[in-house]
Amino acid sequence: MYTLDDRQTAAQTWFREARDRICAALESVEDDGRGEGPAGRFERVAWNRNPASNEDTSGFGGDGEGGGGVMSVMKGRVFEKAGVNISTVHGVFAPEFAKQINGAAEDPRFFATGISLVIHPRNPLVPAVHLNTRYLVTTKRWFGGGMDLNPAIADDAQTSDFHAALKVMCDRHDASYYPAHSKWAEEYFWVPHRGRHRGVGGIFYDHLDSGDWERDFAYTQDVGRTFAELYPRLVREKMALPFTEEQRAEQLRYRGLYAEFNLVHDRGTVFGLKTGGNIEAILMSLPPLARWD
């Protein structure tokens, strides 16, 4: 059986706590919303990783591989689809994929734990959002992740508010983080085949290993706490506003762009598929409705 060390256990425990904190905050927004039917609630489904079922496509096999996760999905009157997933997996990377992962070329064994969420609101004036934070162990150890705002109809005031809050959060840990991580997000969330950004940015970081594990962990925890406070406030500002059919159509067209990025460019999607993850959990980020025209 795979045994976690203290740091792996602490990270895994935090991601569970972050999941609970965020789900509670989003359910509170549902309680305050208006619309048909009762307020939405998250439904949780656990899954176990089964590398043997993916041998032909991902090249896994051998002892000591496993893990799993829990999908939490809510469909309500404010959120058309809200998915908050946690997972902890371990095993051996396929040889070609190992070359792409920090520290895995020398030894393909890995451990990964994290949280990933995507929120698709009903009201097109309310921005969609994405968050992912994770802790990976190969021959090296590091944190990665971030969050970004994805409005179908951008609002300059909310965009400024979002970035200001992220800067305050980053500055609590290192004054260099916001300029570096917001620039990284700007570059990462670019959709080359569309010639535009996916949303209005945020922060993104990877391979965070300053040499002070507690410091890096504290920053990653703060990303989750800040999200749980910031995003519900942005939603409440707009969720009761009236919208037009054309604004709804624009939202569905934007969701098509979002789906394209996640299927073609998103690192988390690729990692999940390459490590024998649960397909429903990996593709949870896709919107319930979208259009291309």
Side-chain angles (χ1 to χ4, degrees), residues 24-282:
L26 296 177
E27 287 181 348
S28 177
V29 173
E30 276 287 316
D31 289 337
D32 295 342
R34 296 291 181 268
E36 297 181 1
R41 288 293 180 267
F42 280 97
E43 296 183 5
R44 295 183 180 180
V45 178
W47 59 272
N48 291 317
R49 177 169 167 262
N50 183 7
S53 67
N54 295 303
E55 284 181 343
D56 292 340
T57 58
S58 63
F60 280 93
D63 297 330
E65 298 184 354
V70 179
M71 292 189 299
S72 299
V73 178
M74 175 171 67
K75 298 179 180 179
R77 53 197 184 190
V78 176
F79 302 111
E80 193 166 3
K81 181 183 180 183
V84 183
N85 293 344
I86 57 171
S87 63
T88 299
V89 296
H90 53 86
V92 180
F93 288 126
E96 289 305 311
F97 189 54
K99 297 175 184 177
Q100 305 172 36
I101 302 297
N102 188 29
E106 302 88 341
D107 183 338
R109 291 176 296 176
F110 75 93
F111 166 89
T113 184
I115 181 171
S116 178
L117 68 84
V118 175
I119 312 299
H120 295 290
R122 290 191 179 277
N123 190 322
L125 303 178
V126 176
V129 75
H130 159 259
L131 173 141
N132 170 273
T133 52
R134 55 194 177 270
Y135 176 55
L136 276 81
V137 179
T138 56
T139 60
K140 301 179 180 179
R141 295 171 174 253
W142 73 94
F143 290 96
M147 71 174 98
D148 61 295
L149 201 64
N150 296 271
I153 301 167
D155 180 313
D156 290 343
Q158 278 207 335
T159 298
S160 295
D161 189 6
F162 180 73
H163 279 275
L166 292 188
K167 184 177 186 304
V168 169
M169 184 271 294
C170 289
D171 287 351
R172 284 197 289 264
H173 302 271
D174 190 311
S176 70
Y177 279 178
Y178 178 75
H181 296 170
S182 61
K183 183 176 186 296
W184 202 336
E186 183 179 352
E187 295 170 349
Y188 178 69
F189 294 112
W190 175 256
V191 188
H193 64 277
R194 293 294 187 183
R196 58 163 289 182
H197 289 98
R198 187 178 77 173
V200 295
I203 58 169
F204 182 81
Y205 62 101
D206 206 1
H207 305 150
L208 181 62
D209 179 9
S210 67
D212 185 338
W213 189 89
E214 295 292 344
R215 178 173 178 264
D216 299 340
F217 186 31
Y219 176 60
T220 296
Q221 289 174 300
D222 209 0
V223 172
R225 293 190 185 100
T226 298
F227 176 88
E229 297 171 359
L230 173 60
Y231 183 64
R233 174 166 59 79
L234 299 180
V235 174
R236 286 188 168 96
E237 290 175 358
K238 299 218 168 200
M239 66 185 186
L241 296 178
F243 59 88
T244 66
E245 290 185 6
E246 178 51 38
Q247 287 171 327
R248 171 63 170 170
E250 182 62 23
Q251 179 191 45
L252 297 182
R253 286 190 288 267
Y254 174 76
R255 287 178 176 178
L257 171 78
Y258 193 93
E260 289 175 13
F261 179 89
N262 278 29
L263 291 173
V264 177
H265 300 292
D266 186 77
R267 292 184 185 181
T269 301
V270 172
F271 186 90
L273 293 173
K274 292 290 187 179
T275 55
N278 179 278
I279 298 300
E280 294 302 321
I282 296 166

